[in-house]
Amino acid sequence: MNCRCIQRALLRWFDANKRDLPWRTEPRDPYRVWVSEVMLQQTQARTVIPYFERWMARFPTLQALAEASLDEVLKLWEGLGYYSRARNLHRAARHVLEHHNGVLPQTAEALRALPGVGRYTAGAIASIAFNQPVPVVDGNVRRVLCRLFARAEDADVWALAASLVPHERPGAFNEALMELGALICTPRAPRCDVCPLRRLCAARANGNPEAFPAPRRTPATPQVHVQTAVILANGAVLMGKRPAEGLLGGLWEFISSELRDPPQESLVEMVARRVGLDLSAAHHEMLGKTRHAFTHFRLVRTVWLVRLESPVMPQRALGYAQTAWVQLEELPRLALTRSDRRVWMLAQHAMQRA
Ligand code: SF4
């Protein structure tokens, strides 16, 4: 297949049709490209836009990000999910400030040495911000290339992408492939009639573009059942801060069972084990269950409201970096997961009823 034809058709289409997105300001700022590419992983552009704008208002430069606290970074990321992305951005900004004079490296290889920067992100920054002719492959690119070349398997998609990326305007070409996948060559009902590659596309010629690539087999998602206690006393609530590393690291939560391999235990046993409080004589009310989907499991939380006469200091913080009694008016300032926001809504409804 003629690479030049594909490059020309795609770039012409991109120049005329690309979306006006806040990270596409010219000249391209490597820091903005980096932040947007990290935010866009597993997340649609329309979801990312308000987060990106708030982020840039608060951390307009790499230095501003490096100098911020992790708590503030996580608070700004709250609701976007995959929180290791925020922690790695913060850590990488500090690394760049310390080891590269605050200037992002320009090659994909050097970029990959930064925390949280994998092959995709390195290729995106190097090509879009620094004009390096290196490929990127995300879900959209994978789908477009598998269809264009009628490949059922995606094992060699990186090699295909590398063979196509031009030396002139490599970043625009990579963005164009991703944009085509997002807007035209969609997973269902691709709009082949308006696609700039329709005359070159093998899957379209076969008559069934949706058959490419072959669907991946996804294993059944396990359910994880945990107990969660909203423990109230004198207008404050007991919160636990998760350790900085690991799933949802650095975020605060209502006292809960661990997310990984939680033991089968009652609410009273869970609270005694994790924070050393004895709730056996305290009034507790089951509020219901919340459900939240993570990448590899579904979380089902049984939520309890517990009222104590007065705040009792926890005797331990098993699996928490710290615990704290937080005034209810201070709660919105903490970085919580979406799942914990749901728990809090449930608790607020119960408190209003009482
Ligand atoms: S012609 Fe259809 S299947 Fe082929 S790349 Fe374009 S939208 Fe995708």
Side-chain angles (χ1 to χ4, degrees):
M1 192 173 291
N2 188 330
C3 292
R4 292 279 297 155
C5 289
I6 295 173
Q7 292 161 356
R8 257 192 257 125
L10 202 53
L11 283 168
R12 205 178 306 129
W13 172 81
F14 185 59
D15 289 339
N17 294 283
K18 68 181 168 197
R19 287 171 293 179
D20 183 16
L21 298 170
W23 44 89
R24 284 188 176 154
T25 44
E26 295 290 346
R28 300 303 286 268
D29 173 354
Y31 170 65
R32 291 170 73 88
V33 171
W34 175 36
V35 172
S36 65
E37 287 300 334
V38 173
M39 286 186 169
L40 286 163
Q41 289 164 19
Q42 325 275 350
T43 315
Q44 295 199 335
R46 67 168 174 272
T47 306
V48 165
I49 289 171
Y51 281 92
F52 180 82
E53 287 178 334
R54 277 197 298 272
W55 184 280
M56 285 301 157
R58 172 59 191 91
F59 309 129
T61 61
L62 185 146
Q63 181 157 357
L65 172 59
E67 287 169 355
S69 71
L70 179 59
D71 281 342
E72 193 182 0
V73 169
L74 289 173
K75 181 66 194 163
L76 227 56
W77 200 274
E78 188 184 276
L80 201 51
Y82 303 98
Y83 292 87
S84 59
R85 296 182 297 173
R87 290 197 303 274
N88 281 330
L89 265 175
H90 185 236
R91 203 179 320 147
R94 291 186 166 182
H95 179 92
V96 171
L97 200 59
E98 201 175 318
H99 299 283
H100 300 276
N101 281 332
V103 179
L104 271 175
Q106 298 201 2
T107 65
E109 200 185 3
L111 285 160
R112 284 191 75 174
L114 301 177
V117 177
R119 192 175 184 184
Y120 166 81
T121 312
I125 301 170
S127 63
I128 297 169
F130 299 118
N131 244 4
Q132 305 278 324
V134 288
V136 299
V137 174
D138 68 352
N140 284 326
V141 172
R142 170 179 176 264
R143 186 170 58 256
V144 171
L145 294 186
C146 284
R147 288 176 177 172
L148 192 55
F149 295 93
R151 301 277 169 92
E153 300 294 331
D154 63 345
D156 56 356
V157 169
W158 276 97
L160 270 181
S163 71
L164 284 177
V165 68
H167 283 255
E168 248 180 64
R169 306 186 65 202
F173 179 80
N174 285 337
E175 281 191 289
L177 267 180
M178 293 189 269
E179 193 89 333
L180 191 77
L183 301 182
I184 305 286
C185 193
T186 45
R188 308 241 177 289
R191 298 163 58 206
C192 300
D193 49 331
V194 294
C195 176
L197 304 180
R198 61 189 176 279
R199 291 196 183 83
L200 305 161
C201 179
R204 182 176 184 252
N206 283 354
N208 187 12
E210 284 187 47
F212 302 92
R216 287 173 168 162
R217 270 209 211 126
T218 45
T221 315
Q223 285 202 342
V224 176
H225 292 264
V226 305
Q227 305 280 354
T228 290
V230 179
I231 306 174
L232 298 172
N234 288 357
V237 59
L238 184 61
M239 303 295 292
K241 189 178 193 186
R242 300 176 61 82
E245 297 304 324
L247 185 65
L248 308 176
L251 285 113
W252 290 85
E253 68 176 19
F254 299 98
I255 304 304
S256 296
S257 324
E258 294 84 348
L259 297 183
R260 298 240 184 260
D261 305 321
Q264 294 298 307
E265 59 192 351
S266 69
L267 168 85
V268 171
E269 288 164 343
M270 183 278 289
V271 173
R273 188 173 58 78
R274 295 214 74 180
V275 293
L277 294 187
D278 180 5
L279 298 187
S280 50
H283 175 78
H284 49 275
E285 173 192 355
M286 213 261 263
L287 300 182
K289 292 183 191 288
T290 64
R291 289 177 169 76
H292 194 86
F294 287 85
T295 317
H296 301 299
F297 65 94
R298 278 180 202 288
L299 177 65
V300 182
R301 300 173 88 168
T302 304
V303 182
W304 301 82
L305 188 64
V306 183
R307 294 175 196 272
L308 301 181
E309 296 281 308
S310 58
V312 186
M313 285 323 288
Q315 300 300 302
R316 65 168 87 136
L318 183 70
Y320 286 124
Q322 67 179 97
T323 57
W325 283 98
V326 177
Q327 291 300 312
L328 297 186
E329 59 271 22
E330 293 291 317
L331 203 53
R333 298 207 188 132
L334 297 190
L336 305 186
T337 64
R338 227 176 241 185
S339 168
D340 280 273
R341 290 270 164 230
R342 258 180 231 157
V343 167
W344 182 230
M345 278 169 62
L346 208 58
Q348 279 179 307
H349 283 141
M351 287 153 68
Q352 281 158 8
R353 277 199 318 266

